């Protein structure tokens, strides 16, 4: 379906942006803003630094020259650091604050029809209640530096949108997994598969009885697409219909790789990451199902093939 919108992707080289572009770049007009220019069609701009008025004006002019349709949607993928980023925290905070401030600065001049921001469900909601599925109306309780920054960004973006009568969508993403050959550390499942391949132990930062909601890169891309073609406005949890224990994940990895796995327990705290995804399901008619074993098999085979390892007995 041609969605007849000009989409501007900020952070076009990020893992999730690349997956979205791979699956949906043929659906409409898409412009990429990237820190490192990888294509002639990219607009090069480091969103993480303070942009002076001249730099901001240049970026705005470049974006305007690419817009094809009257309806324009900005999608913010740009972000610095991950859930376990503990070094140079002030520097990382400053970069992310600049990213959001610059994004809003562009919005003020171009006034898009809608803005979409990818946030994080796993770092916002409490994770000590086994029986609770947290929904978008529940009070968030970010404990980590990463979670606090995501919540800061949510507030900056939503406040600007409400004050300026601008449609916005914040997608609170569950624990993401998938394959991007550029990186081996995108999510716990990816890290574990590379550890298996390198005959290393699997590092666990939570008890094996911990429960986590996982969602694939492709499903996240589908959620963004559905947000574009449906009246998805406000805050939405994006995950699969059922969470899974880390013990089950380890068993599935063991079955797929046909290896006995060694575990290195860094922290043995139990974590219960359960979210209510009914709001998104109700408005889009889509409920994402976890197909982890099949996906693990595909990811592992792809890693082997990219490393030129024989897969005929796989």
């Amino acid at each position: 379906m041609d969605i007849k919108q000009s989409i501007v992707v900020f952070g076009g080289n990020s893992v999730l942006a690349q997956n979205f572009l791979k699956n949906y770049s043929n659906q409409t007009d898409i412009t990429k803003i990237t820190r490192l220019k990888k294509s002639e069609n990219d607009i090069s701009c480091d969103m993480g630094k303070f942009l002076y008025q001249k730099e901001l004006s240049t970026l705005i002019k470049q974006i305007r020259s690419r817009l094809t349709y009257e309806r324009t949607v900005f999608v913010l993928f740009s972000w610095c650091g991950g859930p376990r980023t503990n070094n140079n925290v002030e520097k990382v905070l400053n970069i992310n604050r600049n990213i959001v401030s610059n994004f809003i600065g562009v919005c003020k001049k171009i006034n898009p029809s809608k803005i979409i921001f990818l946030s994080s469900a796993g770092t916002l909601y409490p994770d000590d209640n086994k029986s609770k599925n947290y929904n978008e109306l529940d009070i968030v309780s970010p404990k980590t530096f990463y979670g606090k920054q995501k919540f800061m960004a949510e507030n900056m973006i939503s406040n600007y949108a409400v004050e300026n009568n601008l449609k916005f969508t914040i997608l609170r993403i569950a624990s993401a997994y998938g394959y991007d050959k550029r990186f081996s550390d995108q999510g716990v499942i990816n890290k574990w598969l590379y550890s298996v391949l390198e005959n290393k132990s699997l590092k666990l930062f939570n008890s094996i009885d911990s429960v986590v909601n996982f969602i694939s890169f492709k499903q996240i891309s589908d959620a963004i697409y559905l947000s574009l073609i449906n009246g998805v406005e406000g805050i939405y949890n994006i995950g699969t219909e059922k969470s899974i224990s880390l013990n089950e994940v380890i068993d599935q990895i063991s079955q797929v790789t046909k290896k006995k796995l060694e575990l290195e327990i860094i922290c043995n705290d139990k974590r219960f990451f359960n979210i209510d995804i009914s709001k998104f399901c109700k408005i889009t008619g889509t409920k994402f199902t976890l197909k982890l074993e099949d996906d693990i098999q595909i990811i592992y085979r792809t890693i082997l093939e990219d490393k030129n390892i024989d897969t005929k007995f796989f």
Side-chain angles (χ1 to χ4, degrees), residues 203-219:
K203 291 184 178 181
L204 273 75
F205 291 88
N206 296 107
S207 161
I208 61 172
D209 297 319
S210 295
V211 174
V212 177
N213 193 287
F214 289 100
I215 187 166
S216 72
F217 293 169
K218 174 61 167 58
Q219 289 170 326

Side-chain angles (χ1 to χ4, degrees), residues 119-252:
S119 188
S120 168
T123 59
L124 293 182
Y125 298 116
D127 58 6
D128 56 0
N129 190 332
K130 185 177 182 179
S131 59
K132 172 71 173 177
N133 288 343
Y134 288 92
N135 65 46
E136 296 84 352
L137 295 177
D138 286 317
I139 296 174
V140 300
S141 179
K143 298 177 182 178
T144 66
F145 177 69
Y146 180 84
K148 291 174 182 177
Q149 288 185 93
K150 283 290 188 179
F151 192 48
M152 171 199 74
E154 282 193 10
N155 286 327
M156 290 175 68
I157 289 169
S158 60
N159 288 341
Y160 170 77
V162 170
E163 290 170 3
N164 292 274
N165 196 29
L166 176 63
K167 294 179 180 179
F168 74 96
T169 303
I170 293 174
L171 303 179
R172 289 178 174 169
I173 309 295
S175 294
Y177 70 91
Y179 181 66
D180 187 317
K181 64 181 179 181
R182 299 173 299 166
F183 307 102
S184 63
D185 60 349
Q186 291 297 312
V188 64
I189 292 174
N190 303 56
K191 291 178 183 177
W192 284 353
L193 286 172
Y194 274 93
S195 293
V196 171
L197 193 60
E198 296 166 2
N199 294 314
K200 296 179 179 178
S201 59
L202 309 191
K203 291 184 178 181
L204 273 75
F205 291 88
N206 296 107
S207 161
I208 61 172
D209 297 319
S210 295
V211 174
V212 177
N213 193 287
F214 289 100
I215 187 166
S216 72
F217 293 169
K218 174 61 167 58
Q219 289 170 326
I220 295 169
S221 294
D222 292 343
I224 296 169
Y225 174 72
L226 290 168
S227 299
L228 292 167
I229 65 173
N230 294 282
V232 178
E233 297 175 26
I235 299 175
Y236 293 83
N237 290 336
I238 304 298
T240 47
E241 59 184 335
K242 183 182 178 182
S243 298
I244 186 173
S245 74
L246 294 183
N247 194 35
E248 291 176 273
V249 175
I250 291 168
D251 283 345
Q252 290 184 12

Side-chain angles (χ1 to χ4, degrees), residues 102-120:
N102 291 329
F103 178 75
I104 290 174
V106 176
C107 290
K108 286 179 179 178
K109 296 297 183 180
I110 295 183
N111 193 31
S113 307
K114 182 178 183 177
I115 54 179
I116 298 175
F117 172 60
L118 272 65
S119 188
S120 168

